[in-house]
Structures are given as structure tokens and as C-alpha cells.
Amino acid sequence: MNLRIGIVGLPNVGKSTLFNALLKRQQALVANYPFATIEPNVGIVEVPDERLESLAKISNSGKIVPATVEFVDIAGLVAGAATGAGLGNKFLTHIREVDVILQVLRDFEDSEIVKEGSVNPESDYKVIETELVLKDLETVGKCLESKDTKAKGKEKKKAIVEKLFVGLNNGIPARELLITEEDKELARDLFLLTAKKEIKVLNVAESDPRLHELMGDMLYISAKVESELSSLDEADAKAYMAELGIKESGLDMLIKRAYETLGLISFLTTGEMESRAWTTTRGAKAPHAAGVIHTDFEKKFIKAKICDYDKFVEAAGWKMAADKGWVRFEGKEYEMKDGDVVEFMIGS
């Protein structure tokens, strides 16, 4: 499954700098003026997973294939975007296409960078959230007036739309209004922006004592530091992080946070051809996970041969793991765990 993270925020808060650092190449245009980004820049980033190297050594794999995350650098929003201010309508449409919203908020001073519309993290967040709420309110209002919503047999749909209309009018995002799975399903075809889960990133100075901390729902990252790290080789990057007193890059932290936010896990496959990480949802049954590899595998699933990653590495492969009794054969009701090393048994 492909995970898409949309990077949003006011102009000149560090979105494109962070995006470039995450991709470790200058793919987005970084410019000191509003709306430097018009079309969304898109890049695929590998999910760091040290387990794959160990598996590849054990299996003598020809290649390593990590899971990937797609980052979308969406142009800066401004107050009034919901009614078309700036290039608002176009940008808001791009947000509909992502799985999770990464809100970048500025909390550093730099006299050389135009602070277009940005005041402080709290007010900046309210500006963005307000524009998303207003756009959703427009969507819900149209739905409320549609013949389909008013049709006989659509009472539950109408009730949830009315609930959304009242809540959004009071500034409450859809994610706080859609409580049950039934509510979420009834509202799914509205594609509401504020129904999406979000990650908040505070872009701080490299000297900020909160650097690379997760406090509450806020992740503290310096886009400048990430940019500098992206230009270094692995050894120098590790030395620089040690100097800063941080143990992992912002990329690692962001992806872990995204996985946690969306309830995702990675399961692993290994062999002579490749060692690979696959992404699925926490609690997914084995047939569904098999379907991530190939859609036919879900339909033709028989059973799964599974070993915990740590046990697999300790045993140095399937044979010794089986001899030690660490290999299990699981059926259709088995819930996949993060780090499961698996071979799926598929029928013809």
C-alpha cells in the first residue's frame, strides 16, 4: 500500500526545505517569496528499516527493497484560501489526495526570510485549520441540499451530514465529529479535508533545545538541520547528529510518526532474490497482508509460515528457526504483527 503524506503550511515556513531534505535531493524549488510552489512536488522516500540488511545477509539476497512513503509538497495556504485567495482552491484539491496531513509550523526567526502571513505556531495552525474547515463546510452544505441525501432510505446519511454541518459551523474538524466506524463510512464519499489525520511539525532553529523531540502531538524538527544532514554521507551525518545530541534524523521520526498516526506496520519477506518490507494496517489478517504483495494472493491464500524477526535472525534462517520450534503456520484469522517474517502459502 502506498502512503501519501501532504506537507502543508503557510508560505515560507520551511515546507519545501524540509521536502528537499527528506528526498535528499533538490527536487522542489526553494524561493524566498510566496507561492514559489504551484504544482505539488511529489517524491518517493524509502522507509528506513535496519532489519532488512540483517535479513539480506542471512538469505544472501540480491537486493533490498524497503517500504516507501510518498511525500507531497503542497504550496502555501493563506487566509481566505477556501474562497480562492492565493491559489487556495487548487491547493485544497491537492490535499484531498493524501492520506495524512503534515502541518509545518514556523517557530524560528530569520530576518532574511519573508514571513508572509506567519505570526506564531498557534495562530498559524488556526489559519490553516480554519481554511480546511471552511472548505469542508462548503462540501457538506452542498451535500445537505442534494437530492440523494434527502432521498427516502438515506436517513442515516442525512443525520451525519447535518451533524457535520453544525459541528463545522462551530469550527470543529470532521475527525472529531466522526466517532464511529459507521459515521466514517457514511461520510467517506465526501472526502473531507478535516477528516484526515494530521501530524504537526514545529520547524525550529538548530539551536533549539526541543530539537527532535516529540511533545504531546507536536514534533520538533529543524528543516535547516535536515537539509544539512541530507548533503552528508552516512558517517558524517551520524557524527553531526551526535554533535547535535540527536539519535535519528527527522525523516526517521516523521515516518515513524506517520505509521503510528495511521496505524500501519511492516511485515518482511526474504529470499535469494530480495529482502523486502511491506506495509499493511495494524490488525490486518494474513490474507489481506498477502494481498498487499499481489491481489490474487488474498483470494488464493492457504496459510502463512511466520517467524518473529528476532528469532529468525538468532536462528540465521528458516531451517534452524524451524528446528528450534520458532516457525508457526497461521491461518486466515491470524493478525499480522510488525516485524513478522513471512512466506505465504498460495493455492492455484
Side-chain angles (χ1 to χ4, degrees):
M1 62 183 295
N2 294 322
L3 170 61
R4 287 171 61 88
I5 300 175
I7 306 176
V8 303
L10 297 178
N12 296 330
V13 295
K15 301 183 308 301
S16 293
T17 301
L18 180 60
F19 176 80
N20 288 334
L22 289 167
L23 266 63
K24 296 188 177 180
R25 61 182 183 271
Q26 295 300 307
Q27 182 168 322
L29 170 64
V30 179
N32 185 23
Y33 54 86
F35 311 119
T37 304
I38 297 177
E39 291 300 326
N41 297 289
V42 179
I44 306 297
V45 178
E46 295 180 350
V47 178
D49 195 331
E50 295 179 353
R51 298 173 299 191
L52 291 174
E53 292 187 14
S54 298
L55 294 180
K57 289 178 182 177
I58 291 170
S59 301
N60 195 26
S61 302
K63 61 180 178 178
I64 291 175
V65 185
T68 58
V69 171
E70 188 172 299
F71 281 93
V72 183
D73 177 25
I74 299 171
L77 294 173
V78 295
T83 55
L87 295 171
N89 285 325
K90 195 171 187 179
F91 300 162
L92 291 166
T93 299
H94 294 149
I95 296 173
R96 294 192 193 281
E97 300 169 357
V98 303
D99 299 302
V100 62
I101 297 172
L102 172 61
Q103 290 215 35
V104 179
L105 306 166
R106 174 174 168 168
D107 195 25
F108 67 93
E109 293 296 332
D110 190 330
S111 60
E112 296 182 3
I113 298 178
V114 177
K115 207 167 186 180
E116 179 69 25
S118 177
V119 179
N120 57 58
E122 293 78 15
S123 63
D124 292 358
Y125 177 79
K126 288 179 182 177
V127 169
I128 298 169
E129 190 78 348
T130 296
E131 295 308 318
L132 299 183
V133 165
L134 288 173
K135 196 63 180 178
D136 281 350
L137 189 58
E138 178 187 316
T139 300
V140 170
K142 289 178 180 178
C143 181
L144 201 57
E145 295 302 315
S146 72
K147 292 180 181 179
D148 182 62
T149 303
K150 295 177 179 179
K152 187 176 180 180
K154 296 288 185 176
E155 289 81 8
K156 286 186 176 181
K157 174 79 170 185
K158 183 180 179 182
I160 195 63
V161 173
E162 288 175 341
K163 177 182 178 181
L164 285 164
F165 187 77
V166 172
L168 290 165
N169 253 315
N170 285 299
I172 304 172
R175 74 181 69 88
E176 295 180 18
L177 299 167
L178 301 172
I179 307 301
T180 68
E181 289 304 315
E182 183 181 22
D183 288 347
K184 294 174 185 176
E185 188 58 38
L186 287 167
R188 192 177 303 280
D189 62 354
L190 296 175
F191 302 104
L192 299 177
L193 303 175
T194 62
K196 296 180 183 296
K197 294 188 177 181
E198 62 179 9
I199 302 170
K200 298 177 187 175
V201 167
L202 208 63
N203 184 13
V204 299
E206 60 268 38
S207 59
D208 196 297
R210 301 167 298 177
L211 184 64
H212 282 205
E213 288 189 10
L214 176 61
M215 299 170 63
D217 63 348
M218 190 75 74
L219 184 59
Y220 295 83
I221 289 178
S222 168
K224 183 178 180 180
V225 167
E226 292 305 313
S227 182
E228 292 169 348
L229 284 172
S230 71
S231 67
L232 302 174
D233 61 30
E234 186 176 353
D236 287 342
K238 286 183 178 179
Y240 184 35
M241 286 193 291
E243 182 182 328
L244 292 171
I246 56 180
K247 296 181 180 179
E248 57 184 342
S249 72
L251 169 60
D252 292 359
M253 296 183 73
L254 273 177
I255 292 176
K256 287 178 182 178
R257 184 65 175 164
Y259 268 52
E260 291 170 2
T261 300
L262 291 173
L264 301 177
I265 62 169
S266 292
F267 64 92
L268 311 166
T269 58
T270 185
E272 288 187 9
M273 182 179 295
E274 66 180 27
S275 287
R276 184 165 184 160
W278 305 85
T279 302
T280 190
T281 53
R282 188 174 301 280
K285 301 290 179 68
H288 177 79
V292 172
I293 297 175
H294 195 289
T295 52
D296 285 349
F297 288 5
E298 183 169 5
K299 301 173 186 175
K300 300 176 180 179
F301 176 89
I302 297 175
K303 58 185 174 181
K305 182 170 76 169
I306 291 176
C307 184
D308 298 336
Y309 167 77
D310 290 337
K311 297 293 186 183
F312 188 90
V313 172
E314 184 178 339
W318 286 112
K319 186 179 184 305
M320 187 62 73
D323 290 344
K324 291 179 174 290
W326 294 340
V327 175
R328 314 184 307 276
F329 288 90
E330 302 286 359
K332 294 182 178 180
E333 294 304 309
Y334 175 73
E335 292 187 2
M336 299 296 295
K337 305 292 188 298
D338 186 71
D340 277 347
V341 182
V342 59
E343 284 185 3
F344 292 111
M345 311 291 113
I346 306 299
S348 57

